[in-house]
Amino acid sequence: MARRAHIPGWQALPGVEVAAVCAPDLAAAQSSADAFGIPHVFSDYHALLELELDAVSICAPNSVHVPASLTAIESGKHVLCEKPMAVTAGQVKMLGEKAEAAGLLLMAQHQLRFAAEARAAYALVKTEKLGSVYHAQVRALRRATVPTSVGFIDKALAGGGPALDIGVHSLDIALWLMDFPRPVRVTGTAKTNFAHGDKITGDWGEWARSRFSVEDFAAGFVHFENGSTLALECSWLGHYPERDDLSCRLFGLGGSLHWPTGEFSTTAGKAHSTGTLPLEATDEPAHFAAIRAFYEAIQSGRPSPIPWKETYWTIAIIEALYESAAEGKEVFLRDV
Ligand SMILES: NC(=O)c1ccc[n+]([C@@H]2O[C@H](COP(=O)([O-])OP(=O)(O)OC[C@H]3O[C@@H](n4cnc5c(N)ncnc54)[C@H](O)[C@@H]3O)[C@@H](O)[C@H]2O)c1
């Protein structure tokens, strides 16, 4: 993500210098520095954070997100952290409160919010044509794509499987479009159905099966304080017709809306109609747009484009889904 999205995303902003890069393997960090013309190279982020920098992007395995974000905040840097910001809602709260107290911005990289499809869906929601949303169907299903890097499949490094890896993206979009109703209770299941066998071959190549210690399928059901509900399904492996399906469908009293296709369906009397939302034309990749929004918020003194309290609820739902799966019971969420 550093090489594909964050470094070029920051470098696309006029007036921004990417001053330093860090990876435990110094040669790997040096190769990124050479490729992108970055002057300072480190193998330890503590040393990098001694530099006078305005902001950092954290693109390391999930287990590094909280300690690196915390150290960055404590050394006075704004933090753009790859998703998931943390594995527990308590960790998100701790980081959010520290950042707020220090007057720093903290944002999870949910770049899909900044893509044209999400913007169009958000604009429709604001017109109230959808009406009050009573249910959301949220999917993050991949048929045969297990990440090959152990950072995603070893529980000690990743914290969780597809729910935490890609479920967070669709869930973030659905909750944002629903205006973040307060979740109150969650049931869930998390299973490893295929990852230790050879029934489904990974499109991205072979993964270290002996290190695979997360789920390859998770599903959950959420009840919100306002009476609405949400069903979430996440997977890296399964017998699905589509190669992948990162989506949500919101059911409202005025119509239903599908992201990212923008399909809006409504029925008045006996007449049913379906249309597709128009999209703004843009050449800017979503990752770049998210980084630009974060940068502009820093420059103008505005709050984080994705407030940590929103990320708190996204992570709280996934944490509760895992807890429910492990303990076989419904989990009630505590307030932030
Ligand atoms: N927003 C998105 O769409 C998206 C997509 C893919 C991955 N991600 C997230 O980005 C993060 C990284 O994923 P990736 O695909 O780049 O993984 P990757 O395994 O390709 O790269 C991880 C990098 O982190 C570095 N690293 C490991 N420990 C470190 C430490 N202590 N300090 C500094 N660097 C360290 C490694 O050297 C490696 O270069 C993950 O949290 C993942 O969930 C987000």
Side-chain angles (χ1 to χ4, degrees):
M1 292 316 294
R3 295 176 65 117
R4 197 152 57 87
H6 288 250
I7 298 172
W10 281 108
Q11 287 184 333
L13 295 166
V16 170
E17 184 198 357
V18 178
V21 63
C22 169
D25 175 354
L26 194 62
Q30 187 63 56
S31 112
S32 295
D34 294 343
F36 291 94
I38 301 171
H40 300 284
V41 182
F42 297 91
S43 60
D44 180 343
Y45 66 77
H46 294 88
L48 178 147
L49 290 168
E50 285 173 18
L51 293 182
E52 277 199 26
L53 307 166
D54 298 301
V56 293
S57 263
I58 297 171
C59 315
N62 300 350
S63 60
V64 179
H65 292 183
V66 173
S69 297
L70 180 59
T71 314
I73 292 165
E74 286 175 345
S75 61
K77 276 77 175 171
H78 301 287
V79 173
L80 178 61
C81 182
E82 262 304 341
K83 45 50 59 177
M85 181 184 284
V87 172
T88 70
Q91 292 167 331
V92 175
K93 184 178 179 185
M94 180 274 293
L95 293 175
E97 288 179 344
K98 294 241 180 218
E100 244 169 46
L104 296 165
L105 297 198
L106 171 68
M107 178 172 122
Q109 178 74 345
H110 284 300
Q111 78 279 359
L112 296 173
R113 279 205 205 184
F114 300 85
E117 292 80 0
R119 295 264 151 216
Y122 193 74
L124 186 276
V125 166
K126 291 289 157 196
T127 65
E128 296 181 2
K129 280 188 190 155
L130 188 62
S132 172
V133 174
Y134 56 86
H135 183 66
Q137 209 173 52
V138 184
R139 290 191 172 141
L141 297 174
R142 291 198 314 226
R143 186 168 65 195
T145 39
V146 175
T148 50
S149 160
V150 290
F152 289 83
I153 61 175
D154 182 327
K155 194 164 184 182
L157 296 173
L164 205 50
D165 178 34
I166 49 179
V168 279
H169 275 312
S170 308
L171 185 59
D172 174 72
I173 294 284
L175 294 172
W176 177 55
L177 295 175
M178 293 167 83
D179 202 19
F180 277 88
R182 160 96 161 77
V184 285
R185 53 196 171 100
V186 177
T187 49
T189 179
K191 293 198 161 76
T192 308
N193 293 315
F194 300 104
H196 293 297
D198 54 11
K199 206 165 185 173
I200 305 180
T201 317
D203 286 352
W204 290 345
E206 186 50 28
W207 57 92
R209 281 156 204 265
S210 60
R211 297 280 299 271
F212 195 101
S213 45
V214 293
E215 84 281 4
D216 61 23
F217 174 78
F221 198 85
V222 186
H223 290 263
F224 297 94
E225 197 172 51
N226 66 4
S228 62
T229 48
L230 180 151
L232 171 69
E233 293 166 2
C234 314
S235 153
W236 284 332
L237 293 168
H239 303 294
Y240 315 120
E242 301 90 8
R243 192 170 183 273
D244 51 49
D245 180 2
L246 203 65
S247 69
C248 67
R249 191 183 295 279
L250 303 188
F251 297 92
L253 294 178
S256 74
L257 171 66
H258 186 264
W259 167 83
T261 62
E263 188 183 272
F264 180 75
S265 296
T266 188
T267 304
K270 287 188 178 165
H272 179 80
S273 67
T274 298
T276 306
L277 301 180
L279 294 185
E280 268 171 41
T282 174
D283 292 334
E284 188 180 33
H287 275 290
F288 287 30
I291 292 167
R292 184 168 54 78
F294 181 68
Y295 168 69
E296 288 171 355
I298 295 171
Q299 289 288 85
S300 61
R302 288 197 303 268
S304 173
I306 302 182
W308 69 264
K309 282 185 184 161
E310 295 183 356
T311 301
Y312 173 92
W313 288 119
T314 311
I315 297 298
I317 288 172
I318 293 175
E319 183 185 6
L321 182 159
Y322 285 141
E323 188 183 334
S324 167
E327 297 186 10
K329 61 172 193 185
E330 187 169 42
V331 171
F332 287 79
L333 293 174
R334 291 165 298 280
D335 207 349
V336 62

